[in-house]
Amino acid sequence: MSFNWKIILQSSASIVSALIILRELHRQLSQSNNSSTKLTSLPPRSRGVESLIGNTPLIEIKSLSKLTGCKIYAKLELANPAGSAKDRVALAIIRANEKLGHLRPHSGDVIFEGTSGSTGISFAVLANALGYDAHICLPDDTSPEKLQLLKSLGATIHPVKPASIVDPQQYTNAARCGSQQINEDPNDRRRAIFADQFENDFNWRIHYETTGPEIWRQMEQDVDVFINGSGTGGTIAGVSKYLHEQNREIKIILADPQGSGLANRVNYGVMYDTVEKEGTRRRHQVDTLVEGIGLNRLTWNFKQAEAHITEAIRVSDNQALRMAKFLCINDGLFWGSSAAINCVAAVKTALKNGPGQKIVVIACDSGARHLSKFWKSAAEVPNDITLDEVLQ
């Protein structure tokens, strides 16, 4: 029997090639099937809730990018374990005071803070995690959901009447007084700190050390505009300083709610007119539905931002309400009032400067913290709201 080795070799080569092709098709099909169930890359395991702070996601807001011709991104600070960028600040302040010997874990030591917003929640969570007691001084008209959350977290709450910062009974001053009473009592072995988020230097520095570098890395060193509001001023100060060290051409824009004097300060060098002067208002909070940003006084942290801010954009309550609903309906993004303010400013910037920009905003917290006030009104905005109507 004779063999045609040429035919046998050709046939063998064809079979091997077919097997290789089939194996590759199987591999690609398997990857396709796996990708349908794999949502994101899993982070490494870690220890303690404090290890989850920072390294938050950054996403493109598809609807706003499509309608403006720019790429508009949001840094999801609401993904921090206690739900806001204030987690970074709270952890930084606690760790600094531990190093200074002002706080000792699991010794009954107390953290006082005056806040009507997310900072109290961050301190309450971290106090539980790190072995401290949290005492939160706040206005007695703080939203019910925030009060309930603080109570659920085990924080000691000290409600005070709404007042201006010049009033010794204002909630920030009440927190300072509470810490002093403990530290000055010779019979009280506890130590106490007043976190003082508005004036604390560790506030802006933690955003300079973490939030700014994260944005720069996530954006692959290509950012045209960074936008955020100012409550304490720490986020916009730290991020803007870091970004400007990388590229001085990056525009830094302050998004400011109605009633706040910070936009006037940035654009015209004047903090307020006589009717807005601090001490003449019913309370320190500006006249707006928006919580967490806007002031009529200069804080230490905001002063660190001033040299870096290019301009300020004033956003009305109605624009913020409509933007919040627009993002919820068109992108599935249920965000709080500060994030809505930032997004309005992002759209105004995109339309003013033209397409092709890469704009980053901060998504500060969830809409779940604003249900009884801001979202009570935002929920009434029609589902078919357009972006043009948002800006009206």
Side-chain angles (χ1 to χ4, degrees):
M1 181 182 297
S2 61
F3 295 95
N4 189 330
W5 292 104
K6 184 177 181 180
I7 295 175
I8 292 173
L9 289 173
Q10 289 176 339
S11 298
S12 299
S14 298
I15 292 171
V16 171
S17 297
L19 289 173
I20 292 172
I21 292 172
L22 288 171
R23 186 174 67 178
E24 180 63 20
L25 289 172
H26 181 267
R27 185 185 69 82
Q28 291 181 3
L29 181 61
S30 297
Q31 286 183 342
S32 177
N33 289 335
N34 289 336
S35 66
S36 65
T37 58
K38 182 180 178 183
L39 297 178
T40 58
S41 299
L42 285 172
R45 64 187 180 189
S46 60
R47 185 170 185 265
V49 69
E50 66 274 17
S51 68
L52 302 176
I53 295 174
N55 291 318
T56 54
L58 187 143
I59 65 167
E60 182 181 348
I61 306 174
K62 294 186 291 185
S63 67
L64 301 187
S65 293
K66 179 181 178 180
L67 292 170
T68 62
C70 294
K71 291 291 186 180
I72 299 180
Y73 300 90
K75 176 73 165 162
L76 301 186
E77 286 299 282
L78 53 83
N80 281 301
S84 78
K86 299 302 184 180
D87 286 15
R88 299 181 191 255
V89 178
L91 182 60
I93 290 173
I94 290 172
R95 291 306 194 202
N97 279 277
E98 288 175 340
K99 290 180 180 179
L100 293 169
H102 298 158
L103 286 176
R104 304 156 301 173
H106 307 290
S107 300
D109 291 352
V110 184
I111 301 167
F112 279 86
E113 182 59 313
T115 170
S116 60
S118 295
T119 308
I121 296 167
S122 295
F123 272 115
V125 168
L126 287 171
N128 291 340
L130 301 176
Y132 301 104
D133 292 332
H135 285 236
I136 308 302
C137 301
L138 38 67
D140 59 12
D141 61 353
T142 298
S143 63
E145 60 265 28
K146 289 181 181 177
L147 286 172
Q148 184 58 51
L149 181 52
L150 287 167
K151 291 177 181 177
S152 300
L153 291 170
T156 300
I157 300 173
H158 303 274
V160 298
K161 292 294 182 183
S164 164
I165 189 68
V166 299
D167 190 321
Q169 299 304 313
Q170 190 261 3
Y171 61 81
T172 301
N173 298 326
R176 180 186 292 105
C177 182
S179 66
Q180 288 174 346
Q181 287 177 349
I182 290 177
N183 290 328
E184 293 172 359
D185 185 348
N187 298 316
D188 196 332
R189 301 185 63 182
R190 297 175 298 169
R191 297 176 185 175
I193 67 162
F194 168 44
D196 198 13
Q197 58 171 326
F198 290 92
E199 308 300 328
N200 198 312
D201 200 59
F202 294 114
N203 184 341
W204 75 265
R205 289 187 182 278
I206 193 62
H207 291 292
Y208 172 80
E209 294 168 0
T210 64
T211 317
E214 288 173 26
I215 290 172
W216 186 243
R217 187 167 65 249
Q218 288 169 310
M219 290 297 296
E220 299 178 341
Q221 304 180 0
D222 188 7
V223 182
D224 296 303
V225 184
F226 173 72
I227 296 175
N228 197 37
S230 177
T232 64
T235 304
I236 194 169
V239 172
S240 64
K241 179 175 173 58
Y242 180 84
L243 291 180
H244 269 177
E245 288 180 358
Q246 314 313 308
N247 180 1
R248 190 67 197 184
E249 298 304 312
I250 296 173
K251 294 183 176 67
I252 308 297
I253 294 179
L254 173 72
D256 207 35
Q258 65 182 55
S260 172
L262 296 179
N264 283 343
R265 170 75 180 193
V266 170
N267 292 334
Y268 307 112
V270 179
M271 185 65 196
Y272 43 66
D273 63 32
T274 54
V275 300
E276 290 181 321
K277 184 176 180 180
E278 189 66 65
T280 64
R281 289 178 173 269
R282 183 179 65 87
R283 56 179 293 174
H284 103 285
Q285 175 65 30
V286 297
D287 295 337
T288 175
L289 285 173
V290 175
E291 294 182 342
I293 61 172
L295 282 178
N296 285 303
R297 61 186 173 93
L298 293 178
T299 66
W300 167 255
N301 281 281
F302 184 79
K303 289 177 182 177
Q304 312 315 303
E306 278 195 277
H308 300 282
I309 298 175
T310 310
E311 66 173 306
I313 294 178
R314 178 66 57 80
V315 178
S316 71
D317 278 0
N318 284 334
Q319 289 172 331
L321 292 167
R322 293 192 289 257
M323 176 59 79
K325 188 61 172 288
F326 181 88
L327 293 172
C328 184
I329 295 300
N330 290 279
D331 296 273
L333 301 172
F334 184 55
W335 289 348
S337 55
S338 298
I341 289 273
N342 293 341
C343 288
V344 172
V347 170
K348 289 184 176 183
T349 300
L351 296 178
K352 175 183 176 182
N353 296 334
Q357 304 167 79
K358 292 185 177 179
I359 302 171
V360 178
V361 304
I362 298 291
C364 313
D365 62 5
S366 166
R369 291 191 178 171
H370 304 265
L371 289 174
S372 64
K373 187 178 177 183
F374 180 82
W375 264 100
K376 184 177 181 180
S377 298
E380 300 302 318
V381 175
N383 287 356
D384 60 355
I385 184 80
T386 66
L387 192 58
D388 286 339
E389 291 170 334
V390 168
L391 298 178
Q392 289 177 4

